[in-house]
Amino acid sequence: RAGEDRERENKEFQTTVSDQRATQKLLKAALTVLKEFYGKKSSLVQRSQEPVGPPPPAGFETYEKNEASGDVMSLIEQIATDAKAMEEEAIRGEEDAQKAYEDFVKETNASIEAKSKEIVNKSEEKASKEGELVEASKEKEAALLELEQLANYKAELHQSCDFVLKNFDVRQTARDEEVAALHQALAILSGSKFD
């Protein structure tokens, strides 16, 4: 968008400068003609001769140079000076606009480069974080698997402990009876008699 605006401004500048230069050229030519005409007083002054041809009709005066011609020439010179000043102003404006455009382009390019670097850095950081996330997910799955295995082992231990607790009295009685039977067998073997 800035490039299009700059092109349009440059075209306007080119038109303005060419118009002002053409105006100056035309005014210079007009001044040259007027100076030649009004500058030759001696060659245009009529000498006291008899007019050629019939006398002028009534109401016509003899031709004389316009005394206000100096004012017209000054006005034309002023217009030419104004056109030159306008051309110089347009050139200064064009130089300023071109410099501002170049500065804008430099700033924009620097900003784009900085943003591109930032995008690369953010992409690298994102990739790193995604890698960390994958690693953390694997670790979580391994921890959950280990927790599940531990829970299963706990259930098995609990089952065997429950079995021991439930059958403790039965086993205690059976052991007591076994111990008593062993004492009796020992006594029989040592020669004791039981009635």
Side-chain angles (χ1 to χ4, degrees), residues 63-78:
Y63 177 76
E64 294 178 6
K65 291 183 184 177
N66 187 348
E67 295 298 322
S69 66
D71 292 338
V72 171
M73 290 191 340
S74 296
L75 181 62
I76 291 174
E77 287 174 348
Q78 181 61 42

Side-chain angles (χ1 to χ4, degrees), residues 2-171:
E4 294 170 1
D5 290 345
R6 185 70 201 105
E7 279 185 40
R8 186 174 31 78
E9 289 172 358
N10 186 270
K11 284 181 184 177
E12 289 175 13
F13 160 75
Q14 296 294 340
T15 302
T16 301
V17 168
S18 66
D19 287 350
Q20 295 309 313
R21 287 181 179 165
T23 301
Q24 292 172 46
K25 185 177 177 183
L26 289 174
L27 291 174
K28 186 176 180 182
L31 271 175
T32 303
V33 169
L34 288 173
K35 284 182 180 178
E36 286 177 8
F37 179 77
Y38 287 108
K40 298 179 182 178
K41 290 186 177 185
S42 60
S43 66
L44 293 178
V45 174
Q46 291 182 350
R47 298 188 181 107
S48 54
Q49 293 180 352
E50 288 292 323
V52 179
F60 281 91
E61 299 177 8
T62 58
Y63 177 76
E64 294 178 6
K65 291 183 184 177
N66 187 348
E67 295 298 322
S69 66
D71 292 338
V72 171
M73 290 191 340
S74 296
L75 181 62
I76 291 174
E77 287 174 348
Q78 181 61 42
I79 292 171
T81 303
D82 290 347
K84 181 70 176 167
M86 192 170 186
E87 175 190 354
E88 290 171 357
E89 182 181 330
I91 290 171
R92 279 191 306 273
E94 174 65 12
E95 289 170 353
D96 292 345
Q98 183 64 29
K99 174 139 179 42
Y101 174 72
E102 289 171 1
D103 292 344
F104 173 75
V105 168
K106 284 179 187 175
E107 290 173 8
T108 302
N109 288 341
S111 176
I112 288 172
E113 186 176 334
K115 296 295 182 190
S116 295
K117 286 180 181 177
E118 190 175 333
I119 287 171
V120 168
N121 292 340
K122 296 282 184 183
S123 297
E124 290 173 356
E125 185 179 344
K126 179 184 175 199
S128 172
K129 295 295 183 188
E130 286 176 347
E132 290 174 11
L133 177 65
V134 168
E135 188 64 32
S137 295
K138 287 180 182 177
E139 289 175 7
K140 177 185 172 189
E141 287 177 22
L144 288 175
L145 180 62
E146 187 177 349
L147 281 174
E148 185 178 337
Q149 290 171 348
L150 288 173
N152 290 338
Y153 183 65
K154 177 188 168 196
E156 289 173 14
L157 282 178
H158 201 282
Q159 234 179 359
S160 78
C161 286
D162 285 347
F163 176 78
V164 170
L165 285 176
K166 286 181 184 175
N167 296 316
F168 181 75
D169 292 335
V170 173
R171 290 180 71 192

